[in-house]
Amino acid sequence: MLIFIFILIAVIFVGIQQADKNEFYSDYCGRKQTTSINGIFVILVFFRHAAQYLSLDDALSSPFVTLNRYLGQLIVVTFLFYSGYGMTESIKKKGSDYVKSIPAKRFFRIWYHFAIAVTLFVIWNLIFGRKLPVSKTLLAYTGWSSIGNSNWYMLVSFVFYIAMFISFIHYFQKIKVRRGCSDLASGFRIYSLRAQNGYAYLLL
């Protein structure tokens, strides 16, 4: 696994540019920059899942094991942060039209691909004769439970999209209505994530 560390370092430093003296890069949260940063964490996510199928008892794997334990679930924080930032900026620029598009263009699009993945796991379990409760299978399509697939991050994403939509759907109405919707969405988000599992709750 030590080679993975070298690969990660190489990816981080490839194409790196030093800022000029007394110069500030104002587009530090632009799409190009955030995509590059997320790419680094995609590699970390891949390494983490790959490590589940490898033996990490040797001394050369120690640096990766230490890094993996130190970062924990924080390796996905940038995805949530940049997604929320990008959506907020889009709402500032496009207003209610963008908010109204969240269910179809954001929520359903990501859920559609997730549902395909869950269906493949359903088929996989059927092929190997594993009987699954109907309730657990249906909840797997929401991210609330798992039938072998990764689910907690998807649940977080779904809840955040719902919270974003509820919080801003009345953006142009009275401030009290906006605050009420925001409080309701935040309460629902905290309850859902805390009830589901510790990983999701800690990301708040």
Side-chain angles (χ1 to χ4, degrees):
M1 291 299 292
L2 185 61
I3 187 64
F4 285 178
I5 299 294
F6 290 129
I7 293 175
L8 179 63
I9 294 174
V11 170
I12 292 175
F13 284 95
V14 167
I16 192 171
Q17 296 180 353
Q18 183 177 356
D20 295 332
K21 187 176 181 180
N22 298 323
E23 185 177 278
F24 178 76
Y25 189 67
S26 59
D27 195 30
Y28 57 91
C29 274
R31 180 182 292 272
K32 181 180 179 180
Q33 303 302 318
T34 57
T35 300
S36 299
I37 294 173
N38 278 340
I40 295 172
F41 287 96
V42 165
I43 295 175
L44 284 172
V45 171
F46 173 78
F47 287 172
R48 164 167 290 187
H49 287 282
Q52 297 176 4
Y53 303 94
L54 301 174
S55 175
L56 304 177
D57 297 330
D58 58 289
L60 292 178
S61 297
S62 180
F64 173 79
V65 172
T66 301
L67 177 65
N68 190 37
R69 289 177 179 174
Y70 179 78
L71 292 177
Q73 302 300 325
L74 292 176
I75 59 176
V76 300
V77 168
T78 60
F79 302 110
L80 297 173
F81 174 78
Y82 289 137
S83 177
Y85 172 80
M87 291 180 68
T88 302
E89 289 298 306
S90 294
I91 291 173
K92 287 166 62 177
K93 295 177 181 178
K94 301 177 183 178
S96 61
D97 289 339
Y98 179 84
V99 177
K100 293 176 182 178
S101 71
I102 290 177
K105 293 186 177 181
R106 303 288 297 194
F107 181 88
F108 180 76
R109 187 174 64 178
I110 189 175
W111 178 84
Y112 172 76
H113 291 93
F114 176 68
I116 293 176
V118 173
T119 301
L120 293 177
F121 274 93
V122 171
I123 296 173
W124 178 269
N125 282 284
L126 290 174
I127 291 175
F128 286 90
R130 298 170 183 166
K131 295 183 179 180
L132 299 171
V134 175
S135 59
K136 185 175 183 179
T137 302
L138 293 177
L139 287 174
Y141 282 93
T142 68
W144 190 268
S145 66
S146 171
I147 55 174
N149 59 292
S150 179
N151 65 308
W152 71 266
Y153 178 81
M154 300 307 302
L155 175 66
V156 171
S157 299
F158 296 151
V159 172
F160 278 177
Y161 282 138
I162 294 172
M164 181 74 80
F165 177 73
I166 294 176
S167 298
F168 285 95
I169 191 60
H170 298 293
Y171 182 79
F172 295 104
Q173 296 186 15
K174 293 182 180 180
I175 188 66
K176 290 183 179 180
V177 175
R178 296 205 303 270
R179 287 179 177 174
C181 290
S182 179
D183 292 342
L184 177 64
S186 297
F188 169 74
R189 176 177 61 187
I190 293 174
Y191 170 77
S192 298
L193 300 187
R194 188 172 186 179
Q196 204 276 336
N197 59 46
Y199 288 143
Y201 177 65
L202 288 174
L203 281 177
L204 291 174

